[in-house]
Amino acid sequence: MRQLIIIGSGPAGFTAAIYAARAQLEPLLIASSVQVGGELMNTTEVENFPGFPAGIQGPELMMQMQEQAEKFGTEVVYDDVVNLELDGDVKKVTLGSGETLEAQAVIFATGSAYRKLGLADEERLSGRGVSWCATCDGFFFKEKVIAVVGGGDSAMEEATFLTRFGSKVIVIHRKGELRASKIMQERAFNDPKIEFIWNSEVVGITGTDAASGLILRDTVTGEQSEIEIGGLFVAIGNDPRTHLVHGQLQLTPEGTIAVDGRSSKTSLTGVFAAGDVIDPTYRQAITAAGSGTVAALDAEHFLASIPEILPDGPVPADADALVSAH
Amino acid sequence: MTARAVTEATFDAEVLKSEKTVLVDFWAEWCGPCRAVSPILDQIASEHSDKIDIVKVNVDENPQLAMKYQITSIPAFKVYQAGEVVKTVIGAKPKPALEADLAAYIS
């Protein structure tokens, strides 16, 4: 049995791994099979991660985090977790390969997934002009009118990035002002290729084989209108990826995993959570990394407080009492 | 085994006129999910080499093919039989999910 398994390979997971590995907990990090590195893998320049005054590419930053975690003895597994049994002293983690791993403690850092508009047309035209990843798909919309839905930093980043390809980028936002940081707003406002449609939400996407237009509804007047587009990028936020722990860990009203105060302790002993999956508010690479640190230190403290489990020996009945923090 | 690259010059012979079922992986160097899924495709290719041939098309170097097959999102996987596209799968997925999508062509 392992001491610690970390689930997730974004800034939270790898930072937790760096700390846990340096504490000689020999962590195993389950990185997923196709989304290794998490959300930053789909970004370009990261300008706000301290220590990189010239900026750093998101994928490069993640590769360096992984290298640092591995340098201290983290073992990385490229598979997906398909099932978790988190109650009890032995946590069981089942992988896509069918293998079940056991650990005394688990750090859950699965991040968040792109939020969808929730339209039937969106499913139908996904990969046919509707996309969630500008860095992956922007290339295919050269000289086309590209719409971006959303008003946060990621929407502004996508819009700015897409001006390299599109003849014009239209940002559609359901409010009259942006949620994005000032610098990202300024950059978008000053870009001659970016236009804004305010107080509007997308209620339909037209096109049979490929997205060709949007049906918009004015959020103030309720009036509907139609615009022609060549592509649509959806950047309306993310939802915490919690489906593996539904019914096992307590969640908050926002849908994130509930943790005790400023700690990473979840509703189950020996289970810690970090990064976007516990954070409905800040969701930055650096806050996720900080949160990963908290989880590793909490896990280290927890592991130090439980007696070593002998192969056949019983676990003392008061083992849990030492660490109850809820 | 790494999937071999097919280009605009060789697509006709290697994909459309192939007697075998061919899966074409449309990808690009700058696409992170493409790179992540590539080893999974290599595994599927070697495990089912009797049933399916898996090749790669770099969309940067072969824009005409990307346009002809209306690629707007990568990675995109298209399965060809007798010169026709019989199945399209879009996006990087874990191996079991890809195998399920391709079940009709690999089992």
Side-chain angles (χ1 to χ4, degrees):
Chain A
M1 182 165 60
R2 292 264 170 183
Q3 292 189 81
L4 176 64
I5 291 177
I6 298 166
I7 303 169
S9 57
F14 276 128
T15 307
I18 292 166
Y19 272 77
R22 290 192 76 243
Q24 297 187 325
L25 301 179
E26 296 169 342
L28 179 81
L29 184 145
I30 302 168
S32 91
S33 61
V34 293
Q35 292 178 302
V36 183
E39 213 188 322
L40 281 182
M41 297 303 283
N42 293 333
T43 63
T44 51
E45 189 96 332
V46 178
E47 294 178 328
N48 53 11
F49 202 91
F52 298 94
I56 181 166
Q57 294 293 315
E60 174 66 19
L61 178 60
M62 293 321 300
M63 271 156 41
Q64 292 202 19
M65 282 193 200
Q66 175 165 356
E67 191 184 324
Q68 197 172 350
E70 287 179 324
K71 177 178 148 189
F72 295 111
T74 302
E75 188 186 335
V76 177
V77 171
Y78 300 97
D79 203 342
D80 306 288
V81 175
V82 294
N83 194 49
L84 284 173
E85 286 176 46
L86 296 174
D87 56 348
D89 294 330
V90 178
K91 318 297 179 193
K92 292 183 179 154
V93 179
T94 305
L95 303 180
S97 66
E99 189 184 357
T100 297
L101 307 167
E102 295 181 345
Q104 291 172 288
V106 165
I107 293 175
F108 195 76
T110 51
S112 53
Y114 299 126
R115 188 175 296 159
K116 297 189 169 183
L117 291 167
L119 304 171
D121 295 329
E122 183 183 21
E123 289 299 320
R124 186 172 62 84
L125 296 167
S126 158
R128 293 177 172 81
V130 179
S131 172
W132 288 266
C133 176
T135 54
C136 306
D137 302 336
F139 173 80
F140 300 104
F141 298 91
K142 282 178 187 157
E143 296 308 311
K144 292 193 171 156
V145 176
I146 305 173
V148 175
V149 192
D153 272 348
S154 59
M156 291 315 106
E157 193 200 339
E158 300 236 320
T160 307
F161 177 76
L162 288 166
T163 57
R164 296 186 199 184
F165 306 104
S167 57
K168 180 164 85 173
V169 175
I170 305 173
V171 174
I172 299 161
H173 187 44
R174 71 197 151 90
K175 297 193 177 135
E177 59 184 359
L178 299 172
R179 187 166 43 83
S181 59
K182 284 281 174 279
I183 185 168
M184 298 299 281
Q185 292 198 25
E186 286 297 309
R187 207 170 285 171
F189 287 143
N190 291 334
D191 195 313
K193 271 186 158 182
I194 300 180
E195 291 176 11
F196 289 84
I197 297 181
W198 301 104
N199 298 314
S200 292
E201 59 186 359
V202 178
V203 294
I205 309 164
T206 57
T208 42
D209 292 334
S212 59
L214 299 178
I215 302 166
L216 304 178
R217 193 179 68 89
D218 189 305
T219 53
V220 180
T221 64
E223 267 176 54
Q224 292 205 354
S225 60
E226 229 180 304
I227 61 167
E228 277 183 29
I229 51 133
L232 172 67
F233 287 80
V234 181
I236 53 171
N238 296 58
D239 289 313
R241 218 179 257 128
T242 55
H243 60 278
L244 284 166
V245 298
H246 283 176
Q248 299 194 65
L249 297 182
Q250 210 177 325
L251 302 182
T252 66
E254 288 100 346
T256 52
I257 292 173
V259 289
D260 184 23
R262 297 178 62 214
S263 81
S264 64
K265 293 169 190 162
T266 69
S267 54
L268 286 177
T269 307
V271 181
F272 307 89
D276 283 8
V277 81
I278 66 165
D279 182 359
T281 316
Y282 305 107
R283 306 193 321 100
Q284 303 297 306
I286 191 69
T287 54
S291 168
T293 304
V294 169
L297 294 175
D298 285 345
E300 184 186 353
H301 182 73
F302 164 75
L303 288 165
S305 71
I306 51 174
E308 292 229 0
I309 297 177
L310 302 169
D312 299 303
V315 178
D318 62 348
D320 276 347
L322 290 167
V323 292
S324 72
H326 297 281
Chain B
M1 191 182 80
T2 307
R4 72 178 184 282
V6 165
T7 65
E8 282 162 7
T10 60
F11 195 83
D12 195 55
E14 298 211 33
V15 178
L16 301 181
K17 296 213 170 105
S18 171
E19 286 176 8
K20 220 167 150 185
T21 302
V22 184
L23 181 147
V24 180
D25 169 17
F26 290 89
W27 74 291
E29 201 68 55
W30 37 261
C31 159
C34 299
R35 288 200 302 271
V37 79
S38 171
I40 293 176
L41 283 176
D42 291 345
Q43 282 174 28
I44 294 176
S46 53
E47 286 163 20
H48 303 280
S49 58
D50 54 326
K51 301 262 171 37
I52 197 163
D53 205 9
I54 299 189
V55 300
K56 296 163 89 84
V57 166
N58 183 316
V59 295
D60 269 329
E61 293 160 10
N62 302 282
Q64 297 301 325
L65 285 175
M67 201 178 291
K68 179 172 178 198
Y69 292 102
Q70 297 186 320
I71 307 295
T72 60
S73 190
I74 54 171
F77 316 111
K78 289 189 181 277
V79 180
Y80 294 79
Q81 282 179 331
E84 297 290 326
V85 176
V86 291
K87 174 86 182 173
T88 299
V89 178
I90 289 163
K93 298 183 182 190
K95 193 177 176 216
L98 266 183
E99 285 173 332
D101 285 342
L102 300 173
Y105 311 99
I106 59 176
S107 53

